[in-house]
Amino acid sequence: MAETNPEALQRQKQKKRVGLKPLTNAIDGGVVLRFAPNPNGPLTIGHARGIVINSEYARNYSGKVVLRFDDTDTRVKPPLPEAYAWISEEYEWLAGRPADITIIASERMPLYLNYAKQMIGDGFGYVCRCSASEFKKLRDQSRSCPCRERSVDDNLNDWESMIVGEIKEGGAVVRVKTNLELANPALRDWPALRIQHTPHPMVGDKYKVWPLLDFQSAIEDHLQGVTHIVRGKDLMDSTRKQTLLYEHFGWIYPETLYWGRVKVHEFGSFSTSQMRSSISEGDYSGWDDIRLPTLSALRKRGFDPKALKEFWIDLGLTQKDISISMQTIESFNSSIIDDKCERRSFVRNPVSFNIDKGELTSKIPESLLISRHPDELIEGERIWNLGSKIFVEQEDCVYTKIRLKDFADVFIEDGNAIIESMEKGDRRLIAHWIPEGMEINAVLHIPNGNDIELVHGLLENYEIKEGMIIQLERVGFAKIDEIQEDNLVSMIYLHG
RNA sequence: GCUCCUGUGGUGUAGUACGGUCCAUCAUUCCGGGUUUUCAUCCCGGCGACCCGGGUUCAAAUCCCGGCAGGAGCACCA
């Protein structure tokens, strides 16, 4: 080998590439990407991939991201008015900055209708009044439908009828003329706009003709100067259809990248419309119900956006259909939050004992100083005022001699905990406990598939605030969701 | 059925354009050990993969051909 190919010997051992693959045809400062969700509900964990990949590429190339609401369907997937603001906000939460440009398709209807008219006027689009099934039949045989041969003037007349609402829903569509011999039947004379008389939640009944995704998205990408489109590979045919349209208009289609289908083990398959109906039926408390795979739910549970970001970047962009596990995301999250989460004691199944100080009375302090983080990564201590009683987790009461963590060795007898020494004298069990007076009733909500498991106990009531994420010693990370007026703390379990 | 995409350990992922220390990278899971006055976190170690069959070549995860498997699209949804 040294003779045939000496360079081969120089080859280094491979390393894993970090970050996203470079984009083709990308100029620093000139990259425009877009993230285009349907505002028919808030974002899910799958959308997170789109936000992360697009915003990361924009960051890498000092480019821009257009947040575009593709809300041109009033009936099958009607937009949810509140969702627009949720999505903008969730985008910012994840990307770390707001989108550079925000576009709402339904506000830009005149533009799309104009291009449609131009398309008809220039003869590469036509109004088709065949039924969907009639058309499909002809299309599958590469035959043109009767409407295709009509004059531009006839088409423009029909177009006007569509626009003013004279033609019923389903009565006509506008098609883009393509080569009918195209190998892929799905691309032949594809539909660009259809009639919808159902009022749009945002703009009302102003428009009777609405563009379909392939048309609206194609026009808008051109208008915004999008240079790179990253989309699911289920939209590969969209790319092909849109490229045909671009050729008609004389435009250049953006670079396109794809990702495969993503399933999350813990959530199985789900859809926004499915969740929407389950929520309205009361199966879930709302879009942020902790059992749901929505971004709002993950956020409510206390996930750090950086964890999601690192996770999706590590996965990168592949066209493989994948099945991921929340465990991996949780692992990214742990490494990010562990250093900044304070520890608190949470005693489940508490058993109370009287403290018997015995002969050591004079040596026992009135309060203990306990570190906020075991590695001293967080300054200051938690102050535990000792009362006359303690609560110990029942599980730890199987022995008579135990050590109260960070405090003293005790001997348990007849409901009393008799202090034997402050120093750890032997290898006895270290018990989990909390002094009386420091406790507050708490309930931990653990999402578990379709259920929420409730774990009751006593939480260490030291500097707790709503919204803070702490690590419950022995249990795992949790978020203080609500401190109720009846002195009950509601907590949400994050992960171990 | 037609059109298209994808196959690297349990799960993901790097490497594949241009064949060569690649007996294959990294993470996660799992198993074992260690640290810890938390059963959490953390640290160390280990198991574990190039879909199959041919071909080209001194040399194939990488190139060619043929299979097989999985997925998507074929909506007047996005």
Side-chain angles (χ1 to χ4, degrees):
Chain A
M1 190 172 75
E3 286 169 19
T4 54
N5 188 356
E7 292 151 39
L9 294 170
Q10 305 298 317
R11 197 172 156 122
Q12 297 286 311
K13 199 164 177 112
Q14 294 292 340
K15 292 241 168 73
K16 177 166 166 136
R17 191 204 70 236
V18 287
L20 298 172
K21 278 183 201 144
L23 289 172
T24 49
N25 277 328
I27 302 161
D28 195 63
V31 170
V32 182
L33 302 121
R34 41 73 147 193
F35 172 65
N38 180 341
N40 64 338
L43 269 16
T44 65
I45 187 165
H47 289 107
R49 189 179 198 175
I51 296 177
V52 169
I53 301 281
N54 280 296
S55 62
E56 182 69 3
Y57 268 133
R59 202 176 64 81
N60 290 165
Y61 290 98
S62 312
K64 289 179 182 161
V65 179
V66 177
L67 168 59
R68 190 182 73 214
F69 294 100
D70 281 348
D71 59 346
T72 56
D73 175 39
T74 62
R75 208 183 52 212
V76 184
K77 289 180 180 170
L80 188 66
E82 307 92 290
Y84 296 79
W86 292 343
I87 291 173
S88 293
E89 220 269 316
E90 285 166 350
Y91 178 97
E92 184 171 355
W93 175 70
L94 235 195
R97 46 176 280 181
D100 300 282
I101 301 153
T102 300
I103 296 277
I104 298 177
S106 58
E107 289 177 354
R108 294 166 63 82
M109 284 295 287
L111 248 25
Y112 310 139
L113 298 179
N114 248 334
Y115 278 103
K117 191 172 177 182
Q118 183 192 335
M119 179 167 82
I120 296 167
D122 288 352
F124 56 90
Y126 63 96
V127 176
C128 172
R129 307 198 59 165
C130 300
S131 72
S133 61
E134 277 169 340
F135 181 84
K136 187 182 188 322
K137 229 177 190 173
L138 293 165
R139 182 198 69 180
D140 288 347
Q141 300 166 34
S142 287
R143 288 166 57 198
S144 66
C145 83
C147 320
R148 196 179 206 259
E149 315 301 336
R150 299 172 66 233
S151 72
V152 167
D153 285 343
D154 286 349
N155 275 314
L156 286 173
N157 282 335
D158 276 356
W159 169 249
E160 283 309 317
S161 310
M162 286 174 75
I163 292 290
V164 297
E166 284 171 10
I167 304 179
K168 284 187 201 134
E169 287 194 15
V173 293
V174 174
R175 297 188 178 282
V176 176
K177 275 191 193 168
T178 69
N179 182 349
L180 293 177
E181 301 297 330
L182 250 25
N184 186 349
L187 310 184
R188 299 176 193 154
D189 280 16
W190 55 272
L193 300 99
R194 80 318 207 173
I195 298 168
Q196 289 203 150
H197 288 182
T198 314
H200 188 281
M202 304 301 280
V203 297
D205 57 2
K206 205 160 151 191
Y207 305 105
K208 308 298 182 193
V209 180
W210 288 85
L212 285 150
L213 169 88
D214 291 319
F215 187 77
Q216 176 272 130
S217 168
I219 299 289
E220 201 61 81
D221 283 337
H222 176 255
L223 261 23
Q224 298 304 322
V226 169
T227 59
H228 295 75
I229 297 173
V230 191
R231 56 166 48 138
K233 67 174 183 177
D234 52 317
L235 259 27
M236 277 182 164
D237 282 350
S238 266
T239 301
R240 297 176 186 114
K241 288 181 197 173
Q242 295 177 341
T243 303
L244 295 168
L245 182 69
Y246 271 50
E247 284 168 7
H248 282 309
F249 278 115
W251 302 337
I252 310 273
Y253 200 72
E255 296 284 335
T256 316
L257 297 96
Y258 304 96
W259 57 61
R261 192 213 68 233
V262 179
K263 259 191 197 159
V264 183
H265 289 145
E266 288 81 353
F267 296 116
S269 62
F270 55 86
S271 76
T272 303
S273 5
Q274 238 172 57
M275 284 189 277
R276 192 166 173 173
S277 65
S278 297
I279 290 167
S280 68
E281 280 164 26
D283 294 344
Y284 298 105
S285 60
W287 288 101
D288 62 354
D289 187 294
I290 58 175
R291 291 162 293 184
L292 257 22
T294 56
L295 249 32
S296 48
L298 295 181
R299 194 175 174 182
K300 177 170 183 163
R301 285 167 60 187
F303 277 93
D304 190 299
K306 279 206 281 302
L308 263 0
K309 188 173 170 181
E310 284 177 17
F311 171 78
W312 287 114
I313 290 176
D314 183 64
L315 247 59
L317 204 53
T318 65
Q319 293 190 27
K320 269 162 74 173
D321 299 322
I322 57 171
S323 195
I324 58 164
S325 166
M326 282 303 292
Q327 282 185 348
T328 312
I329 299 177
E330 289 169 1
S331 159
F332 275 97
N333 203 54
S334 295
S335 61
I336 289 168
I337 67 172
D338 183 71
D339 290 357
K340 48 189 185 188
C341 283
E342 295 200 19
R343 271 51 177 173
R344 291 292 183 274
S345 186
F346 178 54
V347 179
R348 297 159 291 191
N349 303 316
V351 179
S352 82
F353 297 99
N354 293 310
I355 297 184
D356 183 342
K357 297 179 181 172
E359 294 161 13
L360 294 168
T361 306
S362 60
K363 293 184 179 167
I364 293 167
E366 287 183 2
S367 62
L368 301 172
L369 295 178
I370 318 244
S371 60
R372 291 173 189 264
H373 187 287
D375 302 331
E376 311 292 332
L377 296 171
I378 299 172
E379 267 183 54
E381 275 101 17
R382 295 131 72 188
I383 301 163
W384 280 19
N385 294 315
L386 295 171
S388 55
K389 286 162 96 180
I390 58 170
F391 298 102
V392 181
E393 205 159 279
Q394 188 174 36
E395 229 181 89
D396 288 338
C397 299
V398 287
Y399 302 103
T400 51
K401 287 179 161 194
I402 57 177
R403 174 157 184 90
L404 300 176
K405 180 177 176 292
D406 291 320
F407 178 38
D409 286 0
V410 296
F411 181 75
I412 299 285
E413 188 179 51
D414 298 332
N416 295 309
I418 303 151
I419 296 179
E420 295 181 319
S421 81
M422 293 285 288
E423 288 73 41
K424 190 164 189 268
D426 46 31
R427 293 186 65 100
R428 63 179 69 188
L429 177 92
I430 294 166
H432 198 220
W433 68 292
I434 191 172
E436 185 194 39
M438 291 299 298
E439 86 286 6
I440 184 166
N441 281 306
V443 57
L444 181 63
H445 297 74
I446 306 176
N448 183 5
N450 240 342
D451 301 315
I452 295 180
E453 193 188 326
L454 299 182
V455 176
H456 294 266
L458 297 175
L459 173 70
E460 168 189 343
N461 188 11
Y462 183 76
E463 288 184 6
I464 55 169
K465 289 194 295 269
E466 286 183 358
M468 88 191 278
I469 297 165
I470 53 179
Q471 189 197 66
L472 300 175
E473 288 178 349
R474 288 186 174 186
V475 180
F477 296 100
K479 180 169 163 185
I480 306 282
D481 186 45
E482 197 186 356
I483 302 173
Q484 298 170 5
E485 289 186 7
D486 54 356
N487 276 332
L488 175 72
V489 178
S490 169
M491 302 188 287
I492 299 170
Y493 183 71
L494 223 193
H495 52 75

